[in-house]
Amino acid sequence: MSLLDALQKTSGVALDPQAFDEDAIPGLVDEIFTTALEQRASDVHFKPKEEEFEVYFRVDGAMIHHKTFEKIYHHPIIARIKIISGLKIDEHRLPQDGKSNFVLSEGNEEVDLRVSILPTNHGEKVVIRLLRKNPHMVTLRDLGMLPNILLKVEKHLKDTYGMILTVGPTGSGKSTSLFSMVSTFDAEEYNISTLEDPIEYKINNVTQSQINVDIGFDFPDGLRTLVRQDPDIIMVGEIRDQKTASLAIESALTGHLVFSTLHTNSAVGTIQRLLNMKIDRFLITDAVKLIISQRLARKLCNNCRQAQPVPKKYYELFKEGGIDPANAFIYEAKGCEACHNIGYSGRIGLFEVLEMSPAIEEMIISDASAAMIEKQAVNEGMILLRKDALFKVATGDISIQEALRMMS
Ligand SMILES: [Zn+2]
């Protein structure tokens, strides 16, 4: 039975064989995946509407419209996706989940596809996550840290014990930063072990373990075992609970360099979070060496961004950030061939890095307020995240809209 016959039979919709070329559908679907990967999309959305059928890509966190098809393509394209991901072609009323893979014809890169199908009032909607087998690993120097921040981080990577935390909301690039730091170590020289959920990047010679809570292998269990494996460097994917926090702090105080992430909004806020997790003040001040708070902003395409004088309404903001607005520019997204007409290309980190100091330790122990600690940190040279954002507006890395979004 041909695809067209199968479709007519299962969908109950009479399809005109002249209206589209059935044999072209597999090529069409392949082309969508190829283009999505070229544009570094993380997801492809196939969205049916009343009259049309649209394809969107998620690139650097933003939804980008790719193509609008005539509605007649809806069933054949969905059917093709179901075939390659082993799903029921005649099921239209229930959600389905499937897996597949896709090999890019050039470069032989294999990509895993996670397929999710949801019935909607306009027919089935498909969202596919594209998972590269060997994602490009960002180096510490590529994250977008200002030179003096980078120096501070590199200094603490030489510590023989203690804890380095990256913090921020979901999707702020915390694990990427963690990996870029851990991968600066020679894995032949140090025993590096990680506990992750999920394992995102694979690093040569590093012992990486996948947490599996369903079978009782959680972060605290993993940590207790890890410290018995004679580690030098430990990476804990995320500190989510009190037990993990206290074990991680303990490991940091017993001669290990511990890297982890926490879901908090600011560098100083992380201290309060650890206190809320019932970690002793003295242990925090002894163990924590560096807190890197971060966000991930869309980077303007440097091929087509356009400079403009700073609008008057942003003068105050620039002055607060220590930048003279009369002598600065802001840059706007335009779109060109190099950025697939999006105006943005890639992402850049915005950072706020708190370094533990004798004065800050003293303030934590005497229960000073977060505002007081932040003020002291700024006096000692900490650049607030909003100032880093503004600086990157002035250098043309990000748009003012993106900076304001990150500050809120
Ligand atoms: Zn461009």
Side-chain angles (χ1 to χ4, degrees), residues 279-352:
I279 307 295
D280 186 275
R281 292 174 193 284
F282 290 94
L283 298 185
I284 295 174
T285 54
D286 279 352
V288 178
K289 303 289 177 194
L290 205 63
I291 302 171
I292 303 169
S293 172
Q294 67 175 85
R295 300 289 185 278
L296 211 47
R298 296 173 78 197
K299 205 165 184 277
L300 286 165
C301 169
N302 55 17
N303 191 47
C304 63
R305 65 184 178 196
Q306 287 188 325
Q308 293 191 1
V310 178
K312 287 271 186 300
K313 62 176 174 182
Y314 298 129
Y315 266 41
E316 268 318 298
L317 191 68
F318 271 71
K319 283 177 192 161
E320 276 170 35
I323 301 170
D324 175 11
N327 289 316
F329 290 95
I330 62 164
Y331 295 78
E332 299 218 319
K334 189 168 172 265
C336 68
E337 209 173 306
C339 61
H340 309 284
N341 268 319
I342 298 169
Y344 294 88
S345 178
R347 288 196 271 188
I348 187 167
L350 307 178
F351 300 94
E352 178 176 291

Side-chain angles (χ1 to χ4, degrees), residues 109-214:
E109 194 194 352
E110 199 180 334
V111 183
D112 280 337
L113 309 177
R114 298 281 158 80
V115 182
S116 162
I117 303 185
L118 179 73
T120 76
N121 53 341
H122 297 310
E124 287 165 292
K125 179 182 173 182
V126 179
V127 178
I128 301 181
R129 163 122 325 160
L130 308 173
L131 296 157
R132 286 169 176 77
K133 294 231 160 135
N134 298 301
H136 170 66
M137 179 96 121
V138 182
T139 69
L140 185 57
R141 284 173 180 268
D142 294 333
L143 295 175
M145 288 179 177
L146 297 177
N148 50 346
I149 291 182
L150 187 63
L151 278 176
K152 214 177 256 186
V153 172
E154 284 175 336
K155 182 180 106 188
H156 283 286
L157 292 179
K158 295 196 177 78
D159 289 347
T160 50
Y161 77 95
M163 183 180 257
I164 295 178
L165 293 166
T166 60
V167 307
T170 306
S172 58
K174 301 188 289 276
S175 8
T176 304
S177 294
L178 220 55
F179 266 99
S180 67
M181 288 191 282
V182 170
S183 61
T184 60
F185 292 90
D186 183 348
E188 301 269 348
E189 196 181 327
Y190 298 93
N191 181 10
I192 307 174
S193 296
T194 75
L195 294 173
E196 301 173 61
D197 188 21
I199 293 177
E200 284 177 58
Y201 304 91
K202 296 184 182 80
I203 321 181
N204 265 348
N205 285 321
V206 169
T207 310
Q208 294 176 274
S209 298
Q210 165 77 53
I211 291 300
N212 191 341
V213 180
D214 290 343

Side-chain angles (χ1 to χ4, degrees), residues 12-33:
V13 181
L15 295 171
D16 175 6
Q18 306 301 318
F20 68 91
D21 178 5
E22 179 192 336
D23 297 334
I25 298 297
L28 208 67
V29 172
D30 278 8
E31 197 189 305
I32 293 172
F33 290 144

Side-chain angles (χ1 to χ4, degrees), residues 146 148 310 313-326 328 378 381-395 400 403-404 407:
L146 297 177
N148 50 346
V310 178
K313 62 176 174 182
Y314 298 129
Y315 266 41
E316 268 318 298
L317 191 68
F318 271 71
K319 283 177 192 161
E320 276 170 35
I323 301 170
D324 175 11
V378 169
M382 179 171 87
I383 296 165
L384 291 171
L385 201 122
R386 53 181 180 271
K387 197 167 173 181
D388 192 37
L390 209 57
F391 189 78
K392 281 162 181 157
V393 168
T395 52
I400 185 89
L404 293 170
M407 288 176 200

